Amino acid sequence: MDDHSRQSFLNPQLDRAMKACKVGVIGLSGGGSHIVTQLAHYGFDRYVLCDPKTTERKHLHRMLGATIADAEASAPKVEVMERLIRGLRPHPEIQAFKGEWISCAAALKDCDVLFAAVDTVGARRDIEQFARKYAIALIDVGMDVSRANDGGYRVAGRVFASLPGGPCMQCAGFINNDMLAKEAAAYGMAGIRPQVVSVNGVVASAAVLYAIDLLTGKTGKVALPCFITFDAGSMTMGPHPYLSVVTSPCECFSSSEIGDARFVPIG
Ligand SMILES: [Zn+2]
């Protein structure tokens, strides 16, 4: 028997939402493992999990739920996450796919909320296009490490909620054609993408809170910013400055790209 008494203040609809809603998580390492863990602790019961990779030693620094034994056995990440959910939920419905997200598109299009924790700009763009096609709320998380002027490093995390009809990643300035072109030109030379477990935890927490708000109308009165940034150096989190330049509704998608039953990825 579930005991949600300590989180029932969030909204009486939460229990119903967690049983009915299907959540998709694309990418299960850095941010994705935090998201799955939190969703399971909340009490969500319906999942689509997607990641093509197996667990390695290097993932143990950032992937919640993964163990040394998983790394030694090269356990698929989807299996690690499925085990974690089953350890917390008595009767979950889990569709787990060891493969690229597009290979499980048929399952993902039935989700009510999609979380994306992927490595590339191109994947973000394609997943957003897919989410718009099927009118699914998409919440993307990620983090960046860059050189600061003082020679140190700037560590930042971000959350982008791409909602049907709301600002998309392109019109909010999160991704652009220049980034896509540079990424395409550097294909195969991306190098190591730094990950910090605690920064992933911060942005994943914000992403899950955003989803809870969407599913239950918890706040109801205040529209949450769709683009949130976290600066680890100053310990500040808030609306991304880019949002201030978004003045009109998203017109980046044609009518044929929204609400059709067929989806053809760009990339
Ligand atoms: Zn747009």
Side-chain angles (χ1 to χ4, degrees), residues 2 4 15-23 39-40 42-48 85-86 88-95:
D2 281 335
H4 294 151
D15 191 32
R16 201 167 354 133
M18 291 190 300
K19 284 188 166 40
C21 291
K22 185 182 280 191
V23 290
L39 293 173
Y42 263 105
F44 281 83
D45 273 332
R46 305 181 71 211
Y47 299 84
V48 178
I85 295 167
R86 293 192 186 282
L88 293 166
R89 302 300 307 154
H91 305 294
E93 173 191 321
I94 304 172
Q95 294 172 276

Side-chain angles (χ1 to χ4, degrees), residues 2-17:
D2 281 335
D3 179 359
H4 294 151
S5 56
R6 295 199 181 197
Q7 61 184 23
S8 61
F9 68 94
L10 287 171
N11 193 297
Q13 296 173 359
L14 178 60
D15 191 32
R16 201 167 354 133

Side-chain angles (χ1 to χ4, degrees), residues 4-174:
H4 294 151
S5 56
R6 295 199 181 197
Q7 61 184 23
S8 61
F9 68 94
L10 287 171
N11 193 297
Q13 296 173 359
L14 178 60
D15 191 32
R16 201 167 354 133
M18 291 190 300
K19 284 188 166 40
C21 291
K22 185 182 280 191
V23 290
V25 186
I26 303 170
L28 300 173
S29 195
S33 67
H34 285 263
I35 289 168
V36 170
T37 302
Q38 290 198 22
L39 293 173
H41 277 289
Y42 263 105
F44 281 83
D45 273 332
R46 305 181 71 211
Y47 299 84
V48 178
L49 308 177
C50 175
D51 195 299
K53 295 180 181 169
T54 55
T55 311
E56 300 175 40
R57 281 262 176 183
K58 64 184 181 184
H59 300 134
L60 300 182
H61 294 293
R62 59 180 189 265
M63 183 177 172
L64 299 195
T67 65
I68 294 171
D70 290 327
E72 289 177 346
S74 299
K77 291 181 180 178
V78 288
E79 291 184 7
V80 174
M81 288 295 97
E82 181 169 356
R83 180 186 68 210
L84 185 147
I85 295 167
R86 293 192 186 282
L88 293 166
R89 302 300 307 154
H91 305 294
E93 173 191 321
I94 304 172
Q95 294 172 276
F97 297 90
K98 182 180 179 297
E100 299 295 340
W101 71 272
I102 194 66
S103 67
C104 56
L108 290 170
K109 73 181 175 62
D110 290 333
C111 290
D112 299 284
V113 178
L114 283 180
F115 294 92
V118 296
D119 287 334
T120 67
V121 181
R124 288 195 163 84
R125 183 269 318 273
D126 289 346
I127 293 168
E128 181 177 57
Q129 187 196 23
F130 172 82
R132 294 283 168 142
K133 191 77 171 169
Y134 295 105
I136 305 169
L138 167 66
I139 305 178
D140 178 277
V141 299
M143 63 163 289
D144 295 302
V145 178
S146 56
R147 277 281 184 190
N149 293 334
D150 62 4
Y153 290 97
R154 178 176 181 270
V155 182
R158 57 192 147 56
V159 180
F160 192 97
S162 178
L163 309 182
C168 75
M169 295 179 189
Q170 297 222 37
C171 63
F174 175 31

